[in-house]
Amino acid sequence: MTISESAEKMADGAQEPQELTDGFHLIIDALKLNGIENIYHVPGIPVTDLGRMMQAEGMRVVSFRHESNAGNAAAIAGYLTRKPGVCLTVSAPGFLNGLVSLAHATTNCWPMILISGSSEREIVDLQQGDYEEMDQLAIAKPLCKAAYRILHAEDIGLGVARAIRSAVSGRPGGVYLDVPASLLGQVMDAAEGAKSLIKVVEPAPAQLPGPAAIDRALDVLKGAKKPLIILGKGASYAQADDVVRNFVETSGIPYIAMSMAKGLLPDDHPQYAGAARSLVLKESDCVMLVGARLNWLLSHGKGKQWGEPHSKKFIHIDIDPKEMDSNQPIAAPLVGDIESTLTALLEKMGSDWKKPSDEWTGAIRTKVESNVAKMAPKLQNNNVPMDFHGALGRLKRVFADNPDAILVNEGANTLDFARSIIDMHKPRKRLDVGTWGVMGIGMGTAIAAAVETGNPVVAVEGDSAFGFCGMEVETICRYKLPICVVIFNNSGIYRGTDTDPTGRDPGTTVFVPESKYEMMMEAFGGEGVIARSPDDLERAVREAIENRKPTLVNAIIDPQAGTESGRIGNLNPQSVVSKKK
Ligand code: ADP
Ligand code: TPW
Ligand code: MG
């Protein structure tokens, strides 16, 4: 019903005045009914009032300076909560700015919904040049898990329910929800509207592998002499922390954790083989993947790093059947959710499970201890200018004393060194660039981490990485969030030493040397600190965690300290021709 129709109906006096609702409120009610309380947003036509009304209705609406950052916030909110993180944007350009993060969420298997306003369908479809004209639904479709458009107010409940279920069921991912401007103003009877809403029942149903699959996997495990478990961010997403721990400890199998799975069990766990990664990947004869894909981050399960070809059997737990055999033959596929699958395995393992030999676990322990001892003196250096080890050695201590603090991490060297140096002690406390290695996730991630958990957040940022999202320090100050941004300022991408061979311009990877990033935080009322020594750095970060004030620590790092592309320099294409020059 249009506004004029319903007004007419009320005016003719034939009936009781009708209580009405509209598209704006139905969207809000549908989200709230499904437990979605936080919205990551950039206002503008046609969604400005929607954002305002969401706030008025008690939702937490965080207004960003750029949709990429709002979208990255929604993506990580999905990872942290197992509910879709919601990003709300305007049409065409705002939608496109949000779309990268929707694709990022999908790639990482995190549930997210991008709700974008859109222009008049009739004009868009005839390409008559409407305000911010774009066929958003068609553009979103190939980049996310599902995409829907709602045309009628009475379908809002259904549209939101479909979006939620699509985002969180099976392998989670990003969903696009197209909300035409004309939908928001549509009115309908309030009671009918309330009845049209859907509370999604069991949005992510448990999924169990059959008993034969469980037996097969246990047979493969029993036959292994040198088994290894790899925990991925699917395992930390699953929030089955106790079951994961119980399985690892009951099996006695050494494990390594992919970047965002660090801390799922504490990194100082006696079975943690992180510091002997090369040894276990090479020598193991059976690898059990738990919520981790054999993608580029694990060299597709082959190559020198993995030892002799065909020397291992793989067991793989994943909710998506298509993941099996994607890179290596999987001897024992376990298609199911991690909690149900590990529980089923545990039930059949019983209490007298034979743990791996001391020979295998002992060799790993020896390697871990010698590598940790080798690293220790480097981490204690107090060099000025700082190198990555000196600076991160101090942050390692800060996180050991503050296990609930959330570490957000991006950059190249800054990412790779921090990942291996800073131990995580609790699940889902390390948030980073994910499967694509996206620069610029830092501020959106930090903001959502603070909003969703209330915990203090320390964002350890390469200076380049920070540049992709730095304007959100204003958002951090405006919402008074307990976020400490630490910029590892080596004056460049990878290093600060590049030059232009012609002498005309700065080198392509360098920035203004020793830029005063701390002034950006001061500009908006936060604390800005320059740290030149590890002592300065440690003091400033401890203080920021303690007082929960928005803080930016500009940590000046030796421009020579990094290496090209951090630890993945081998992925840069090479040519004999360019080498010769
Ligand atoms: P990492 O980068 O840490 O190796 P990936 O993102 O590559 O992790 O892999 C995560 C995997 O976890 C995905 O294949 C996804 O389908 C899977 N997954 C997500 N949630 C669950 C769950 N609840 N149970 C089982 N598998 C899951
Ligand atoms: C969206 C390519 C990978 S790492 C990096 C870039 C630009 C910056 C590294 O410099 P930084 O870290 O952050 O100063 P450090 O410690 O090594 O000096 N655009 C996007 N994503 C990626 N990954 C890139 C470009 C890249
Ligand atoms: Mg840098």
Side-chain angles (χ1 to χ4, degrees):
M1 194 182 339
T2 64
I3 296 175
S4 57
E5 278 165 358
S6 51
E8 225 171 77
K9 197 169 168 190
M10 279 192 295
D12 71 13
Q15 294 162 338
E16 288 290 296
Q18 212 185 347
E19 198 167 324
L20 296 174
T21 186
D22 57 20
F24 291 107
H25 288 94
L26 286 165
I27 290 176
I28 295 168
D29 293 345
L31 291 170
K32 286 177 69 175
L33 182 65
N34 285 287
I36 293 171
E37 294 290 343
N38 298 327
I39 303 289
Y40 301 97
H41 176 46
V42 176
I45 296 171
V47 295
T48 316
D49 277 343
L50 181 56
R52 287 193 184 111
M53 290 177 196
M54 284 171 157
Q55 195 172 48
E57 296 290 337
M59 299 180 94
R60 186 106 200 259
V61 182
V62 183
S63 267
F64 281 73
R65 305 299 293 256
H66 194 289
E67 292 87 353
S68 295
N69 306 317
N72 287 323
I76 209 73
Y79 170 71
L80 288 171
T81 63
R82 303 190 81 202
K83 284 191 272 187
V86 175
C87 175
L88 175 64
T89 79
V90 303
S91 25
F95 155 77
L96 285 174
N97 284 342
L99 198 52
V100 178
S101 59
L102 190 68
H104 165 67
T106 308
T107 298
N108 283 282
C109 317
W110 300 337
M112 168 177 170
I113 301 175
L114 174 67
I115 303 180
S116 296
S118 60
S119 303
E120 287 290 320
R121 280 253 46 80
E122 292 77 359
I123 304 179
V124 172
D125 287 350
L126 276 171
Q127 297 168 40
Q128 294 172 302
D130 200 5
Y131 167 72
E132 296 195 347
E133 176 177 299
M134 176 173 275
D135 186 358
Q136 295 168 196
L137 187 68
I139 289 166
K141 252 182 202 161
L143 294 170
C144 57
K145 195 175 163 194
Y148 306 105
R149 177 187 295 133
I150 309 174
L151 291 177
H152 304 293
E154 58 267 32
D155 290 335
I156 286 175
L158 201 132
V160 169
R162 271 177 88 60
I164 292 171
R165 203 178 270 288
S166 299
V168 300
S169 62
R171 169 181 280 177
V175 174
Y176 175 60
L177 195 56
D178 195 84
V179 172
S182 55
L183 175 76
L184 295 169
Q186 281 180 32
V187 291
M188 66 183 287
D189 178 78
E192 288 300 312
K195 275 190 238 153
S196 72
L197 301 181
I198 298 174
K199 185 168 166 58
V200 180
V201 178
E202 215 183 8
Q207 225 173 287
L208 261 156
I214 297 287
D215 290 343
R216 186 189 300 118
L218 289 176
D219 283 346
V220 174
L221 261 192
K222 279 180 198 154
K225 295 208 161 51
K226 300 174 173 180
L228 171 70
I229 292 172
I230 301 183
L231 301 176
K233 61 181 177 295
S236 43
Y237 170 79
Q239 296 196 15
D241 307 343
D242 292 344
V243 184
V244 172
R245 186 174 190 137
N246 190 358
F247 179 80
V248 169
E249 291 181 349
T250 305
S251 72
I253 298 172
Y255 73 95
I256 58 173
M258 301 301 288
S259 195
M260 285 178 60
K262 273 168 68 78
L264 181 45
L265 276 78
D267 282 357
D268 57 4
H269 193 282
Q271 285 167 256
Y272 186 47
R277 194 173 191 271
S278 312
L279 180 138
V280 292
L281 286 185
K282 200 162 171 199
E283 304 276 320
S284 54
D285 62 356
C286 171
V287 176
M288 177 167 183
L289 297 153
V290 183
R293 287 171 285 186
L294 274 180
N295 57 13
W296 73 280
L297 287 157
L298 283 168
S299 322
H300 308 280
K302 58 188 169 214
K304 248 184 28 210
Q305 203 191 344
W306 284 85
E308 290 298 312
H310 315 295
S311 60
K312 306 184 202 298
K313 287 190 170 164
F314 287 97
I315 301 170
H316 196 166
I317 306 184
D318 203 292
I319 200 142
D320 187 349
K322 293 195 302 296
E323 196 53 44
M324 304 299 150
D325 306 320
S326 59
N327 285 273
Q328 290 296 324
I330 303 298
L334 289 165
V335 176
D337 73 276
I338 285 161
E339 180 158 23
S340 310
T341 307
L342 290 180
T343 305
L345 288 167
L346 275 164
E347 270 166 20
K348 289 216 173 154
M349 281 160 76
S351 51
D352 57 347
W353 177 260
K354 192 163 169 287
K355 295 189 173 178
S357 70
D358 289 348
E359 201 186 332
W360 173 233
T361 55
I364 296 169
R365 252 1 275 164
T366 308
K367 188 73 185 169
V368 166
E369 279 158 22
S370 89
N371 282 348
V372 169
K374 242 188 261 167
M375 179 74 97
K378 287 195 205 165
L379 299 180
Q380 280 160 23
N381 88 60
N382 203 26
N383 295 344
V384 177
M386 289 187 275
D387 57 29
F388 287 94
H389 289 95
L392 289 164
R394 299 309 185 89
L395 294 184
K396 177 187 170 89
R397 290 195 217 165
V398 174
F399 278 93
D401 293 340
N402 294 280
D404 288 312
I406 294 178
L407 170 63
V408 171
N409 191 199
E410 60 174 336
N413 293 279
T414 305
L415 177 86
D416 291 338
F417 283 115
R419 186 198 304 113
S420 60
I421 293 171
I422 302 178
D423 288 336
M424 303 317 299
H425 305 273
K426 294 196 176 180
R428 295 170 296 282
K429 297 291 176 280
R430 187 188 150 82
L431 309 175
D432 67 26
V433 297
T435 303
W436 267 350
V438 185
M439 293 302 112
I441 52 86
M443 295 304 99
T445 302
I447 289 169
V451 167
E452 300 290 339
T453 69
N455 293 13
V457 178
V458 179
V460 177
E461 301 270 311
D463 49 344
S464 164
F466 173 74
F468 287 76
C469 54
M471 191 63 208
E472 303 298 344
V473 294
E474 189 274 331
T475 311
I476 293 172
C477 290
R478 186 164 21 105
Y479 286 84
K480 301 187 175 61
L481 296 171
I483 295 173
C484 174
V485 181
V486 181
I487 298 184
F488 271 45
N489 185 359
N490 61 354
S491 300
I493 298 177
Y494 315 136
R495 293 165 71 83
T497 53
D498 232 355
T499 53
D500 172 359
T502 71
R504 183 175 54 194
D505 284 322
T508 54
T509 61
V510 301
F511 301 139
V512 171
E514 290 199 18
S515 296
K516 299 188 169 68
Y517 294 107
E518 74 284 358
M519 293 173 78
M520 289 176 68
M521 190 56 104
E522 287 167 357
F524 305 109
E527 297 282 326
V529 182
I530 305 187
R532 292 191 180 275
S533 69
D535 284 344
D536 292 348
L537 173 62
E538 182 174 349
R539 197 177 319 116
V541 177
R542 282 190 190 276
E543 211 164 285
I545 291 177
E546 187 66 25
N547 66 26
R548 296 175 64 90
K549 272 200 202 140
T551 301
L552 191 151
V553 184
N554 184 4
I556 308 293
I557 305 284
D558 184 350
Q560 318 241 14
T563 57
E564 177 94 359
S565 303
R567 233 168 260 173
I568 53 172
N570 60 312
L571 298 181
N572 284 303
Q574 301 279 335
S575 151
V576 197
V577 179
S578 55
K579 256 190 193 161
K580 261 200 256 167
K581 280 186 185 161

